[in-house]
């Protein structure tokens, strides 16, 4: 499914004009974070005109700004689960095939966790739906922190690529476009989206999740530009930060067993900012900061030799989460009992203080 291209590219044209009048998103990053390398997840969704090294740029949408809702139903997955683990926006995701219960090394307590429909698994005050508990090729794997302590442990993963690479707009352009449920008719008109369409349902859900209050101890913010994401993250963590994203060396990989060959704790404390790419007409990130989150960089090697550096986020206090959240139903644990972890899709970003 595609948003109509004419209004999208009209905004991109305005954005290019605006970039000449002010710092481009990449230049802004370098001015604020001169010692922080830009992760691949960010570079992949910069418009080619704003990238100094053109060889690494990715074209906008490769022919369109697609929003895949799946099976003909509106997707309810703003909240950052966009990308491979939600409704097919952005670049990347991680899906997990766990096999029959009790069979296969490292699989005994794993099940498919479908997140293609229903609430985002990265919005912790939402209860899971029945659809999310059924087998689904687009899934997010939840596990416990102790699972990372076993080197050579295997997990059957499928790192996927999605079709939409919605790009960042410069801040002054993004801020000129309404982003509020009270302005929904105006937003739909901006993008030539019919009010009763799946695109409209997706836009409405994304904005709704952005506007809802966070859970206790969560400081949340939806960044509609790279500049605003940088500002939010550095305000919360300072400018001595590292930005990380999952990176797989091959563009296309099969579903296969990956062995954990190394685990590295990232950041100097438990505070971090995690930004999940939303399903929207341009790049929007649902960012949230908590003081009970640990980040790990997990080195994986697939059965076919594929190497991956996967970012895992572990939540040490889940007492404020919805008791019916997807993680608890998958792991068969109760809120606040054990640290709950999950891998981040390739188009999501975690910020940690050095």
């Amino acid at each position: 499914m595609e948003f109509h291209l004419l209004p999208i590219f009209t905004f991109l044209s305005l954005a290019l004009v605006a970039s000449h009048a002010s710092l481009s998103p990449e230049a802004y990053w370098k001015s604020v974070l001169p010692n922080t390398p830009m992760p691949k997840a960010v570079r992949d969704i910069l418009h080619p005109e704003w990238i100094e090294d053109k060889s690494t740029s990715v074209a906008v949408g490769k022919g369109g700004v697609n929003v895949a809702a799946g099976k003909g139903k509106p997707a309810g997955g703003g909240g950052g689960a966009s990308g491979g683990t939600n409704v097919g926006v952005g670049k990347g995701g991680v899906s997990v095939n766990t096999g029959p219960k009790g069979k296969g090394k490292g699989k005994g307590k794993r099940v498919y966790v479908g997140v293609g429909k229903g609430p985002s698994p990265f919005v912790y005050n939402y209860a899971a739906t029945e659809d999310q508990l059924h087998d689904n090729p687009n899934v997010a794997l939840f596990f416990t922190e102790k699972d990372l302590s076993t080197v050579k442990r295997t997990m059957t993963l499928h790192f996927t690529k999605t079709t939409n690479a919605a790009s960042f707009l410069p801040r002054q352009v993004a801020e000129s476009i309404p982003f509020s449920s009270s302005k929904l008719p105006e937003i739909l008109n901006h993008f030539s989206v019919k009010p009763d369409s799946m695109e409209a349902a997706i836009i409405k859900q994304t904005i709704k999740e952005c506007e809802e209050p966070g859970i206790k101890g969560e400081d949340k913010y939806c960044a509609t530009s790279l500049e605003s994401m940088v500002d939010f993250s550095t305000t919360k963590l300072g400018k001595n930060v590292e930005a990380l994203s999952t990176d797989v060396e091959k563009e296309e990989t099969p579903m296969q067993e990956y062995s954990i060959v190394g685990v590295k704790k990232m950041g100097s404390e438990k505070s971090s900012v995690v930004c999940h790419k939303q399903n929207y007409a341009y790049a929007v990130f649902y960012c949230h900061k908590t003081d009970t989150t640990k980040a790990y960089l997990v080195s994986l090697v697939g059965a076919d030799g594929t190497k991956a550096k996967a970012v895992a986020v572990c939540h040490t206090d889940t007492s404020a989460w919805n008791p019916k959240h997807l993680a608890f139903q998958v792991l068969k644990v109760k809120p606040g009992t054990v640290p709950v972890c999950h891998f981040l899709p390739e188009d999501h970003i975690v910020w940690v203080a050095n």
Side-chain angles (χ1 to χ4, degrees):
M1 182 176 297
E2 298 182 0
F3 283 114
H4 294 122
L5 301 184
L6 181 59
I8 296 290
F9 287 113
T10 297
F11 280 119
L12 288 176
S13 298
L14 291 174
L16 289 173
V17 172
S19 70
H20 292 296
S22 60
L23 289 177
S24 70
E26 184 184 30
Y28 186 82
W29 177 291
K30 290 181 177 180
S31 69
V32 177
L33 301 169
N35 300 315
T36 302
M38 182 180 286
K40 185 173 183 292
V42 173
R43 293 189 64 82
D44 278 352
I45 55 175
L46 287 178
H47 191 275
E49 291 295 326
W50 303 318
I51 299 175
E52 294 178 5
D53 180 4
K54 305 298 183 182
S55 65
T56 62
S57 65
V58 175
V60 178
K62 295 183 178 179
V65 183
N66 303 317
V67 178
K71 296 185 179 180
K73 295 181 180 181
S82 309
T85 63
N86 191 7
V87 287
V89 68
K91 184 179 179 62
V94 55
S95 62
V96 182
N97 178 15
T98 62
K101 185 175 182 180
K103 295 183 180 181
K105 181 180 178 182
K107 301 178 186 176
K109 295 184 179 179
R110 300 294 181 266
V111 296
Y112 269 125
V113 185
V115 296
K117 294 182 290 184
S120 163
F122 303 117
V123 178
Y124 306 123
N125 57 357
Y126 279 8
T129 65
E130 285 298 320
D131 285 335
Q132 288 182 302
L133 297 175
H134 295 161
D135 286 3
N136 190 314
N138 293 318
V139 302
L141 177 65
F142 288 95
F143 52 93
T144 60
E145 191 173 22
K146 66 181 182 181
D147 291 331
L148 294 178
S149 64
T150 306
V151 175
K152 291 297 184 182
R153 176 185 178 84
T154 62
M155 295 182 178
T156 303
L157 309 174
H158 185 203
F159 292 96
T160 61
K161 305 297 182 185
T162 55
T163 58
N164 178 10
S167 295
F168 280 114
L169 296 180
R171 175 155 47 191
Q172 71 179 89
V173 177
E175 290 182 349
S176 72
I177 307 171
F179 190 82
S180 167
S181 56
S182 65
K183 299 288 186 179
L184 186 62
E186 187 176 343
I187 294 169
L188 299 182
N189 183 59
H190 267 298
F191 297 111
S192 299
V193 173
K194 295 180 179 179
D196 59 350
S197 65
M198 281 184 282
E199 297 99 327
I202 292 168
I203 288 174
K204 181 178 180 180
Q205 180 69 18
T206 294
I207 295 174
K208 174 178 177 288
E209 291 183 358
C210 282
E211 291 178 338
E212 288 181 343
I215 63 174
K216 182 180 178 181
E218 177 188 33
D219 191 352
K220 60 175 286 190
Y221 172 74
C222 276
T224 59
S225 65
L226 178 57
E227 296 93 324
S228 60
M229 181 168 64
V230 168
D231 288 353
F232 176 78
S233 301
T234 55
T235 297
K236 301 303 177 183
L237 301 175
K239 294 184 179 180
N240 184 18
V241 295
E242 189 168 4
L244 308 166
S245 62
T246 293
D247 192 5
V248 183
E249 69 175 359
K250 293 182 180 179
E251 286 295 310
E252 300 292 337
T253 58
M255 182 175 290
Q256 61 180 319
E257 279 199 343
Y258 283 84
S259 295
I260 297 177
V261 297
V263 178
K264 181 181 180 182
K265 173 72 169 60
M266 305 303 294
S268 60
E269 52 189 64
K270 290 184 180 180
S271 295
S272 64
V273 172
V274 185
C275 295
H276 307 283
K277 193 160 189 266
Q278 295 263 52
N279 196 9
Y280 210 68
Y282 52 91
V284 173
F285 280 80
Y286 172 105
C287 297
H288 49 166
K289 184 257 185 183
T290 68
D291 295 326
T292 57
T293 302
K294 299 179 185 177
Y296 294 92
L297 194 59
V298 183
S299 298
L300 303 165
V301 176
D304 68 351
T306 298
K307 295 180 181 179
K309 295 283 189 180
V311 176
V313 174
C314 293
H315 303 273
T316 60
D317 182 5
T318 60
S319 58
W321 292 23
N322 190 310
K324 294 183 179 180
H325 187 274
L326 198 56
F328 304 133
Q329 299 195 48
V330 171
L331 298 176
K332 307 300 181 186
V333 298
K334 294 182 179 180
T337 56
V338 297
V340 171
C341 307
H342 57 80
F343 285 118
L344 286 183
E346 288 180 84
D347 56 352
H348 296 199
I349 302 157
V350 62
W351 299 75
V352 295
N354 290 320

